[in-house]
Amino acid sequence: ALTDLDRAIRIDDSLAEAHVNRGAALLGLRQWAPSAEASSRGLALGPKEPEKAYFNRAVAREALDDMAGAYADYLKAAELAPNWPAPRNELKRFTVTQR
């Protein structure tokens, strides 16, 4: 899948869905930083389902110990897709404190 997505992006770098799907594929390979980067690129291009890109980037950011970024992305995914339970379930694990 990753080879096909890379090929599609080489042909047309403006394909938001290809970048988002590349981020998901890299997430599956536990390549956290490249996954977050691909998700960010896809988001910048305006994907049809941005909540999925935010969710995947949140997972990658959490694995990279960027808890504030992960929380923000899970929250955005939950706001964009209020009927999707996955981001809300992840948010339950967080405790927000003021410094």
Side-chain angles (χ1 to χ4, degrees):
L2 194 55
T3 301
D4 290 341
L5 291 165
D6 287 341
R7 186 175 300 126
I9 290 167
R10 277 194 302 277
I11 293 168
D12 185 354
D13 187 53
S14 69
L15 297 171
E17 310 309 326
H19 288 281
V20 170
N21 290 336
R22 185 174 190 276
L26 290 165
L27 193 66
L29 295 171
R30 303 174 66 97
Q31 294 184 20
W32 313 123
S35 173
E37 291 167 14
S39 296
S40 293
R41 176 73 176 134
L43 284 166
L45 294 168
K48 293 177 185 171
E49 297 177 300
E51 65 276 9
K52 293 178 180 179
Y54 279 108
F55 185 87
N56 289 342
R57 189 172 70 176
V59 173
R61 284 180 164 178
E62 190 170 357
L64 293 166
D65 290 323
D66 175 6
M67 294 305 155
Y71 179 82
D73 282 349
Y74 285 132
L75 188 60
K76 187 66 174 178
E79 290 170 358
L80 291 171
N83 294 325
W84 184 25
R88 286 192 318 280
N89 289 339
E90 296 302 323
L91 286 168
K92 291 175 187 175
R93 299 181 298 106
F94 286 80
T95 302
V96 179
T97 59
Q98 298 289 330
R99 287 189 187 192

